[in-house]
Amino acid sequence: MTQFKEKSAKQRELVSAGLFFYPVLQAADVLAYKTDEVPVGEDQRQHIELTREIARRFNERFGEILVEPQLRVPEVGARIMDLQEPANKMSTTGGTETGTVLVLDDPKTVTKKIKSAVTDSGSEVKGGEGKEGIANLIEILAVARGTTEEEIEREFEGSGYGDFKGAVAEAVVDLLAPVRERYEELRPDEAALEATLTAGAEKAGGIASGTLAEVRSAIGIGPS
């Protein structure tokens, strides 16, 4: 798996078992609920293909029990890169602190991170070779506005990086504002959160346990 190779290279002294088992655990999480479609980023494409292969092999041997899910990758924003290291994907586990925009970041923090994003020595708001940083910001703005990268490039033709980064920051702040506001509304009520989590766990467990029973019965091991 590509991600295992890349991440294990950074853990050369000791590669965690969690990293090694992640693809199979993810496949189990998907297959347990018999989902038809899995929305993911570009970096998860290989993992979903593994999930599909596991389902296909199981069904060929034990009967049509598991659903072979379809992959759903967005046309724009499938792989957002780190603002400080645009050659690497934006990540809460492997990215830089200042290059990763968190959903709950306040507007001031979001604006600071985006305005300090690495670009290049040019001034043209357009993607291309050697312009990975600007291309990443163009894609982020396209996602935030629900438009295309080409439309963003046309809009900011002739504009400088300063104005462009300001527009990106404003759009991301507006995009995240409803989520952050809703979080602040819900987070203080611990009892309600626990009740919601419990209800969700019971519902999920009911679905997964049914699939697990079918799998055990088909392969003839474990309790019925």
Side-chain angles (χ1 to χ4, degrees), residues 47-97:
H47 289 165
I48 301 305
E49 288 302 327
L50 174 65
T51 301
R52 288 169 53 81
E53 183 177 350
I54 290 172
R56 189 159 55 248
R57 286 189 179 190
F58 182 91
N59 290 342
E60 288 172 353
R61 183 171 181 181
F62 298 106
E64 294 293 323
I65 295 176
L66 301 178
V67 174
E68 190 175 332
Q70 296 299 313
L71 179 71
R72 181 180 178 186
V73 177
E75 293 184 8
V76 181
R79 190 176 179 87
I80 299 299
M81 312 307 282
D82 190 290
L83 297 175
Q84 293 300 317
E85 299 178 356
N88 301 319
K89 72 171 184 174
M90 187 182 290
S91 170
T92 56
T93 56
T96 64
E97 183 177 352

Side-chain angles (χ1 to χ4, degrees), residues 140-155:
I140 290 173
L141 184 53
V143 171
R145 288 186 175 179
T147 184
T148 66
E149 296 158 278
E150 291 75 18
E151 289 178 1
I152 297 298
E153 290 179 351
R154 284 196 295 271
E155 178 183 346

Side-chain angles (χ1 to χ4, degrees), residues 67-130:
V67 174
E68 190 175 332
Q70 296 299 313
L71 179 71
R72 181 180 178 186
V73 177
E75 293 184 8
V76 181
R79 190 176 179 87
I80 299 299
M81 312 307 282
D82 190 290
L83 297 175
Q84 293 300 317
E85 299 178 356
N88 301 319
K89 72 171 184 174
M90 187 182 290
S91 170
T92 56
T93 56
T96 64
E97 183 177 352
T98 55
T100 303
V101 176
L102 305 177
V103 174
L104 298 179
D105 277 344
D106 60 74
K108 184 177 179 180
T109 299
V110 172
T111 299
K112 183 178 180 180
K113 287 180 178 180
I114 291 177
K115 286 192 173 183
S116 64
V118 170
T119 51
D120 53 74
S121 59
S123 60
E124 187 179 17
V125 181
K126 190 176 183 63
E129 186 177 352

